[in-house]
Amino acid sequence: MKAIVVRQHGGPDVLDYADVPMPNPAAGQVRVCIKAIGVNRRDAFIRSGIYPRRLPLTPGIEASGVVDAVGADVTGWGEGDRVVYYVPDVLGAYAEYQTVAAHRLVRLPEALSYQDAAAIFDHGLTAHYLTTSTFPLRKGHRVLIHAAAGGVGSLLVQLAKRAGATVMGTVSTPEKSLIINRLGCDHAILYRRVDFVGAVKEYTGGAGVDVVYDSVGIDTIHGSVRCLTPRGTLVLYGQSSGEVTSINPAALADAGSLFFTRPHLAHHIATPEALRSRSADIFSWFLNGEMSVTINRVYSLANAADAHRRLDDRSCFGKILLIP
Ligand SMILES: NC(=O)c1ccc[n+]([C@@H]2O[C@H](COP(=O)([O-])OP(=O)(O)OC[C@H]3O[C@@H](n4cnc5c(N)ncnc54)[C@H](OP(=O)(O)O)[C@@H]3O)[C@@H](O)[C@H]2O)c1
């Protein structure tokens, strides 16, 4: 079969479209014939070596497809089942086929296409746990979302509005501010033109926000602390601008007894029940129109390098998919 192979860390050119052996499902696994692959920022971090991994590797943490072979000891799954899955620890979704542990699979509703499923899965599950478990949002909360037009950010805006919160979002360009306003954001902050801390303080009458969802990291973290109301929560869930290696607990106390957390999706879908229940929510919100996602561009798997060039270009909005 064909798959993308990375033999050395580097730019998009290291993504090689190559022949590799067809995998066979071991006990407890199924083989999925992949129909659509979600391209994520994490894939670029793994490709470039920001998240170092043993090489060679096939990148890819999420895909949708159809079960085409079933290993021993697998119950409940059969050939022809339509599925989606997320495997950040094992990787390997940039391929025509992948073997996946059966407990990682989620069945697709009939109405959900392979492409839409791959477009909403990782980002949708992430926005789900951040707004329901990490900091359960409700009416009246004031929220700041960094990178609000990003993959996760644009879904956070929608789910925060769905919960009844007042939403502020930072973006780099006027085009992105139009996008987040259309998604319901109450106040778009063009952080290249204005200081985002001052903008938050002004919009909230000096009070600050109850929660900051920060995926940018090193460039924003200290400002995020200053945006929070006393006993507010700083949720650092990504590091697009660089890793935050330390937070001074005394600074959290001085800023108003703040809460700080660095959550990860994997720990919020660790059981099949949690995975199924969060998936069911995002599928239904998507299918009934309460949550939307834009598919920015669809590339063939052979052109994964072009997809990564587009991902590295920050003007890109919405999800990029690969099709084997
Ligand atoms: N913890 C978890 O469970 C979890 C799950 C999924 C993703 N993540 C992480 O969340 C972050 C966002 O993921 P995503 O898929 O939503 O990303 P994305 O769609 O690529 O959005 C990233 C946005 O961050 C902003 N940004 C600010 N500084 C940046 C920089 N130096 N380089 C690149 N972008 C920068 C850009 O928006 P502006 O141009 O508007 O500034 C960019 O569009 C990533 O770090 C990802 O690894 C974490």
Side-chain angles (χ1 to χ4, degrees):
M1 69 165 187
K2 291 288 190 184
I4 296 295
V5 179
V6 173
R7 296 183 183 80
Q8 61 182 56
H9 290 304
D13 289 345
V14 302
L15 298 171
D16 185 27
Y17 186 61
D19 290 306
V20 300
M22 180 86 157
N24 287 312
Q29 292 184 328
V30 305
R31 185 172 64 205
V32 178
C33 171
I34 294 175
K35 302 291 187 189
I37 302 153
V39 175
N40 288 290
R41 191 144 293 277
R42 192 181 181 86
D43 305 341
F45 292 157
I46 288 168
R47 182 208 76 215
S48 66
I50 290 175
Y51 291 161
R53 289 282 195 288
R54 188 185 304 212
L55 299 175
L57 61 79
T58 291
I61 60 177
E62 67 175 336
S64 59
V66 59
V67 173
D68 92 322
V70 177
D73 304 329
V74 171
T75 53
W77 296 101
E79 286 179 34
D81 286 342
R82 300 170 73 247
V83 297
V84 62
Y85 57 88
Y86 167 76
V87 283
D89 46 346
V90 294
L91 311 181
Y94 283 23
E96 289 180 317
Y97 294 86
Q98 182 173 21
T99 51
V100 183
H103 67 268
R104 297 289 188 89
L105 301 175
V106 175
R107 200 176 298 278
L108 288 190
E110 205 50 50
L112 193 58
S113 72
Y114 292 117
Q115 291 200 12
D116 285 341
I120 63 169
F121 203 53
D122 173 348
H123 286 166
L125 291 171
T126 301
H128 186 285
Y129 85 76
L130 289 172
T131 55
T132 62
S133 300
T134 307
F135 188 94
L137 285 175
R138 55 176 164 70
K139 193 171 164 47
H141 278 140
R142 288 158 306 195
V143 183
L144 174 65
I145 298 167
H146 286 299
V152 179
S154 59
L155 298 183
L156 282 174
V157 169
Q158 296 173 67
L159 297 192
K161 286 311 297 176
R162 184 180 181 280
T166 300
V167 178
M168 284 146 268
T170 65
V171 285
S172 58
T173 64
E175 293 72 31
K176 289 188 180 183
S177 80
L178 287 178
I179 288 166
I180 63 169
N181 285 337
R182 274 202 296 274
L183 294 175
C185 182
D186 298 287
H187 186 51
I189 301 168
L190 281 159
Y191 67 84
R192 285 181 178 156
R193 294 187 187 169
V194 298
D195 166 44
F196 74 81
V197 179
V200 166
K201 286 290 166 70
E202 190 181 332
Y203 191 73
T204 58
V209 294
D210 301 289
V211 58
V212 179
Y213 293 109
D214 190 336
S215 65
V216 175
I218 195 74
D219 286 355
T220 46
I221 190 81
H222 298 296
S224 294
V225 167
R226 287 160 48 220
C227 288
L228 283 159
T229 196
R231 305 194 69 237
T233 299
L234 174 51
V235 181
L236 178 68
Y237 72 93
Q239 51 182 42
S240 295
S241 67
E243 193 180 359
V244 176
T245 50
S246 65
I247 281 277
N248 180 358
L252 299 178
D254 292 346
S257 301
L258 303 181
F259 297 86
F260 172 73
T261 182
R262 178 49 166 113
H264 194 281
L265 172 58
H267 307 122
H268 295 81
I269 50 170
T271 65
E273 295 72 29
L275 176 62
R276 272 199 299 269
S277 142
R278 292 190 195 278
S279 301
D281 281 348
I282 62 166
F283 293 165
S284 79
W285 295 342
F286 179 78
L287 290 171
N288 70 21
E290 288 179 84
M291 188 180 90
S292 66
V293 69
T294 301
I295 295 177
N296 176 285
R297 203 62 181 264
V298 178
Y299 293 85
S300 72
L301 180 61
N303 293 328
D306 287 338
H308 272 225
R309 283 184 199 101
R310 189 157 182 87
L311 185 73
D312 288 349
D313 170 5
R314 282 171 55 180
S315 65
C316 160
F317 167 75
K319 190 84 178 185
I320 298 171
L321 300 178
L322 297 173
I323 306 297

